[in-house]
Amino acid sequence: MKKKENEKLNLFLLLKTITPKIIRISPVYFWIAVAISIIHGLFWGFDILVRQYFFDATASFVGKTAEFRSVLLAFAALAFTAVMTQLLNGISNYMWYVLNMRKMQMFRFEINARIRRLSPEVFENTETLDDINKAGMGAGAAVELFAVIEIILCFYLPYFLFVGWYLFSLKPLFLLTIVIIFIPTALTQLIRAKVFSKLEDESAPKRREYEYYEKAVADREYLKETRLLGGFAYFKEKFSESYRLCLKLRMRAEFRSSLFELSMNVITILGYFGILYMLFTALMAGEITVGAFAAVFANMGMLYSIMAEVVQMHIGRLAQNFGATINYVRFLELPERSGEIKKAPAWGDITFQDVTYSYPNTERPALSHVSFTLRRGETLAIVGENGSGKSTLVRLLSGLYLPTEGRVLHNGVDTREIDPEALYQGTTAVFQKYQRYQMTLRENLAISDTAKQADSAQLEEICKMAGCDSADASFTNGYDTMLSREFDGVDLSGGQWQRVAIARGFYRNHNLIILDEPTAAIDPYEETRVYNRFAELSREKSAVIVTHRIGSVRLADRILVMQDGHAVQLGTHEELVQKEGEYRRLWEAQEQWYKENPEQETDAVSVN
Ligand SMILES: Nc1ncnc2c1ncn2[C@@H]1O[C@H](COP(=O)(O)OP(=O)(O)OP(=O)(O)O)[C@@H](O)[C@H]1O
Ligand SMILES: [Mg+2]
């Protein structure tokens, strides 16, 4: 896999990108939570000071140099600190919890809104697709990551600053205490971060593999074919292979970081005894009071466990979430499509000017130097062998994809300059890989134009044209039939689904309609019928039909012939049949078919 740019993406950059978003959710609430956390942290630090007072007061009282009142006062301060730490703990936990929930909600909404604005081409690139698929998980990780950063900055830092100040004021050398505890634990986590971010990079493609193989074995869509064709064992084996590899990588990472952690812990323990020795000699030399000795000694355990908590639990979580958060940040950086021109140009010709298109990360262009004009109101058929570039061409024609080189002009305006929302407004399409929405029949149709009120008469007309009859026995509840077995509805046959998809395409208000072979599962006669009705409807509109069947080709005004990414011929059926070339070759292939099936009508014959 190509090295991604996560090296450049450091924690600082991450903070810079995401912090303003978090504060913006609710600035007042955020700053109150910050203030409460800081006070909370200071109270924890305060504990050590109050303990010293308490021990000193008690020692003085025992030595008869102080009154019982001062012991009581110190005790009250100790109790107050204990109560306050618990109270502030509860309040700040609750406040951060609520804020985290709101962060998650905001990130989720933002992901959805952003996916809509992304350039469709980013979905063709496996690397960026990874970032898109993991954006949701990455957002969860970002919330965790920031929760950790917030708690470190707003709670632990004030605590350590206070304790640091206290130790320093006792004896500057005591500051070493914090350093001795901190360095080995921090080093451990630094290594951990490195190991896990490397693991994430190495295992992501393998994980994608095994998730796919698992789907091929267990997913309903795949199940029948995989079982019947005997692919089950094959996919299972593939799955285990990738899964095992992933596991091996993970175990290796865990082993390495654990080994390092263990050796660092030994050093920490040695440091702990060093500190004790330091304290003892200071007490003997009369540099600190008995109270200070006792307070530091009593708080050593706490200092150590808080440090371990920060570094192992929080910084460990930080490191693990960092990898996934990168997916989210990279997702935020994916190119969005927008155009200077916010209003669609008046409906007119669509011109391809020397257009070349290559899919991301591919060497060979799918389209090479294609030039032609789809005239306003014209019906154009596109024919050509599999892989000749037909589907790619219609994606560029609709403006869904932008050319790598050359220009596609909608009434003279470059598709690059038009805002996608405006660009798609007058276009409808039924794609080769159409969707089966798990919703009612009505919703399946109306989804293509949600601005329209779906009145039954109109639905009826559209359905008739696409040859899908809501009165059909399959639609047990008319337009309100749920088309999904998973949601207690019915399932349709492949051909029925195609008709629904075609009806959906027709339903949308449009000037241009694109049909990219949506009729493969419909018999040739029915296809011709659908297309004839469609031609009537589309008389004023521009239409592009990608098809292999000559019956549909013939109803087009002109035919564009694709071969190996090039537009090799353009003309009417009569013109093209006369000439030597790809179209004649395709035509003759079907003529042969016609001779062998004399009882069939020419209209229903396939071109290829
Ligand atoms: N998402 C993609 N990423 C990379 N290459 C692609 C992608 N989609 C298509 N291609 C390549 O682009 C070329 C043209 O594909 P396209 O789907 O446009 O052909 P087509 O004429 O529509 O074929 P068919 O008749 O099978 O639908 C093919 O060589 C194909 O391998
Ligand atoms: Mg295609």
Side-chain angles (χ1 to χ4, degrees):
M1 199 177 80
K2 232 173 68 186
K3 199 89 184 147
K4 291 186 187 174
E5 290 188 2
N6 54 357
E7 267 71 31
K8 279 200 295 189
L9 211 77
N10 56 34
L11 195 64
F12 175 70
L13 209 74
L14 212 90
L15 287 172
K16 223 176 84 183
T17 326
I18 302 181
T19 314
K21 286 179 190 293
I22 291 175
I23 298 178
R24 239 180 286 132
I25 297 176
S26 176
V28 176
Y29 189 95
F30 176 83
W31 292 116
I32 291 177
V34 167
I36 289 181
S37 287
I38 292 176
I39 299 170
H40 181 207
L42 289 176
F43 260 97
W44 274 90
F46 209 50
D47 184 71
I48 193 169
L49 190 68
V50 185
R51 276 186 201 218
Q52 185 198 330
Y53 282 143
F54 181 71
F55 289 138
D56 277 339
T58 313
S60 303
F61 176 68
V62 171
K64 306 224 185 321
T65 54
E67 291 175 25
F68 186 61
R69 238 187 77 219
S70 60
V71 179
L72 269 185
L73 217 65
F75 181 77
L78 202 63
F80 176 70
T81 313
V83 170
M84 280 307 278
T85 48
Q86 290 312 315
L87 197 70
L88 289 168
N89 191 32
I91 296 174
S92 70
N93 276 353
Y94 175 76
M95 288 193 83
W96 289 117
Y97 174 78
V98 171
L99 199 66
N100 284 343
M101 290 293 125
R102 292 176 61 182
K103 277 186 227 165
M104 196 63 226
Q105 187 187 24
M106 182 201 67
F107 285 163
R108 285 262 163 192
F109 286 176
E110 200 175 82
I111 289 172
N112 292 341
R114 216 166 171 274
I115 282 181
R116 188 171 159 205
R117 297 193 301 265
L118 286 181
S119 171
E121 283 136 309
V122 301
F123 292 84
E124 298 287 1
N125 186 334
T126 44
E127 279 176 23
T128 48
L129 196 62
D130 216 34
D131 291 332
I132 297 169
N133 290 340
K134 302 230 186 74
M137 213 169 83
V143 170
E144 279 241 349
L145 186 86
F146 275 80
V148 172
I149 293 171
E150 282 151 2
I151 197 171
I152 288 178
L153 292 182
C154 304
F155 172 72
Y156 291 111
L157 187 68
Y159 167 77
F160 282 116
L161 282 178
F162 190 93
V163 173
W165 165 81
Y166 171 79
L167 291 172
F168 185 82
S169 67
L170 282 182
K171 189 180 176 186
L173 190 69
F174 283 0
L175 257 189
L176 263 182
T177 314
I178 293 185
V179 180
I180 288 171
I181 297 176
F182 181 70
I183 288 183
T185 358
L187 263 180
T188 312
Q189 294 312 322
L190 206 76
I191 297 292
R192 210 176 155 78
K194 275 240 170 300
V195 170
F196 278 97
S197 122
K198 192 167 154 236
L199 170 75
E200 182 60 28
D201 264 359
E202 277 177 358
S203 63
K206 282 283 146 207
R207 193 169 50 223
R208 206 167 46 221
E209 257 177 49
Y210 80 65
E211 279 169 2
Y212 176 71
Y213 295 137
E214 191 173 34
K215 194 171 152 180
V217 169
D219 198 86
R220 183 173 157 244
E221 290 284 313
Y222 287 77
L223 193 82
K224 288 184 222 89
E225 191 170 321
T226 310
R227 286 276 170 89
L228 192 75
L229 300 185
F232 187 80
Y234 177 74
F235 280 120
K236 203 166 153 281
E237 182 52 37
K238 284 270 205 202
F239 166 78
S240 320
E241 206 176 290
S242 313
Y243 191 78
R244 249 182 265 134
L245 197 70
C246 253
L247 215 63
K248 211 167 107 186
L249 287 172
R250 176 151 213 109
M251 268 157 48
R252 202 176 63 192
E254 282 287 352
F255 180 74
R256 280 192 186 154
S257 79
S258 301
L259 202 67
F260 193 76
E261 208 168 309
L262 194 71
S263 41
M264 285 298 147
N265 280 350
V266 171
I267 296 175
T268 310
I269 291 166
L270 290 178
Y272 185 80
F273 286 107
I275 296 162
L276 270 184
Y277 177 73
M278 214 159 65
L279 272 177
F280 183 72
T281 49
L283 177 69
M284 287 300 147
E287 290 167 345
I288 55 172
T289 64
V290 181
F293 175 84
V296 176
F297 184 65
N299 275 49
M300 274 272 290
M302 188 160 96
L303 196 67
Y304 178 76
S305 65
I306 287 184
M307 189 70 84
E309 187 180 293
V310 176
V311 178
Q312 280 169 12
M313 196 169 105
H314 294 301
I315 301 192
R317 248 169 67 194
L318 195 102
Q320 281 176 7
N321 284 316
F322 189 68
T325 304
I326 284 172
N327 286 120
Y328 175 66
V329 175
R330 274 201 302 243
F331 166 80
L332 291 180
E333 285 169 354
L334 288 178
E336 277 190 19
R337 259 234 359 235
S338 68
E340 301 274 295
I341 302 167
K342 302 290 176 201
K343 202 167 159 287
W347 190 243
D349 296 350
I350 297 181
T351 308
F352 272 55
Q353 282 184 346
D354 199 24
V355 170
T356 295
Y357 182 81
S358 304
Y359 283 96
N361 300 336
T362 57
E363 301 273 311
R364 211 171 61 92
L367 287 184
S368 300
H369 304 287
V370 174
S371 297
F372 73 95
T373 296
L374 170 71
R375 298 178 195 134
R376 183 191 151 128
E378 178 181 36
T379 298
L380 181 76
I382 303 179
V383 297
E385 294 194 324
N386 294 128
S388 56
K390 305 183 294 296
S391 295
T392 309
L393 187 133
V394 296
R395 284 173 197 153
L396 277 122
L397 186 109
S398 63
L400 209 53
Y401 291 4
L402 296 173
T404 315
E405 283 166 45
R407 302 197 301 166
V408 175
L409 307 171
H410 277 217
N411 201 9
V413 187
D414 195 326
T415 46
R416 279 190 197 90
E417 286 161 21
I418 311 169
D419 192 70
E421 300 254 330
L423 188 61
Y424 307 149
Q425 240 165 39
T427 303
T428 190
V430 188
F431 290 113
Q432 207 169 7
K433 290 182 187 160
Y434 56 86
Q435 290 307 316
R436 301 170 174 202
Y437 294 102
Q438 306 206 356
M439 297 190 287
T440 62
L441 174 61
R442 185 190 306 278
E443 286 169 316
N444 254 286
L445 305 177
I447 198 164
S448 69
D449 205 335
T450 45
K452 257 205 271 187
Q453 283 298 331
D455 77 87
S456 296
Q458 200 184 10
L459 287 178
E460 205 67 52
E461 188 192 342
I462 296 290
C463 277
K464 211 172 102 195
M465 210 150 47
C468 90
D469 189 358
S470 69
D472 194 287
S474 307
F475 301 115
T476 47
N477 201 11
Y479 286 112
D480 296 314
T481 311
M482 172 54 93
L483 304 187
S484 161
R485 290 274 289 279
E486 272 146 60
F487 295 114
D488 288 335
V490 299
D491 203 355
L492 302 180
S493 74
Q496 282 171 322
W497 267 118
Q498 282 198 334
R499 286 162 207 238
V500 172
I502 295 169
R504 173 164 60 239
F506 286 167
Y507 180 76
R508 183 175 164 84
N509 266 341
H510 61 271
N511 296 313
L512 165 68
I513 181 161
I514 296 168
L515 300 175
D516 185 359
E517 272 188 282
T519 43
I522 297 176
D523 62 75
Y525 305 106
E526 183 58 25
E527 177 185 298
T528 315
R529 245 171 275 145
V530 169
Y531 279 159
N532 276 327
R533 286 192 292 252
F534 155 78
E536 247 165 64
L537 173 97
S538 306
R539 208 166 281 153
E540 301 291 303
K541 295 167 179 175
S542 311
V544 176
I545 306 172
V546 179
T547 182
H548 287 301
R549 289 169 180 164
I550 208 68
S552 314
V553 172
R554 278 174 128 187
L555 67 86
D557 299 316
R558 288 190 302 164
I559 299 151
L560 178 70
V561 186
M562 295 300 297
Q563 191 177 20
D564 206 15
H566 296 270
V568 288
Q569 287 181 298
L570 177 65
T572 63
H573 171 73
E574 282 69 29
E575 284 168 9
L576 296 182
V577 172
Q578 306 291 324
K579 290 187 201 147
E580 270 300 304
E582 177 72 357
Y583 188 75
R584 238 273 284 274
R585 193 180 69 77
L586 296 171
W587 166 255
E588 277 166 4
Q590 67 78 43
E591 240 192 350
Q592 187 60 35
W593 187 91
Y594 170 63
K595 281 180 196 140
E596 285 164 15
N597 300 273
E599 76 281 7
Q600 307 281 343
E601 288 176 36
T602 329
D603 267 7
V605 172
S606 180
V607 164
N608 137 16

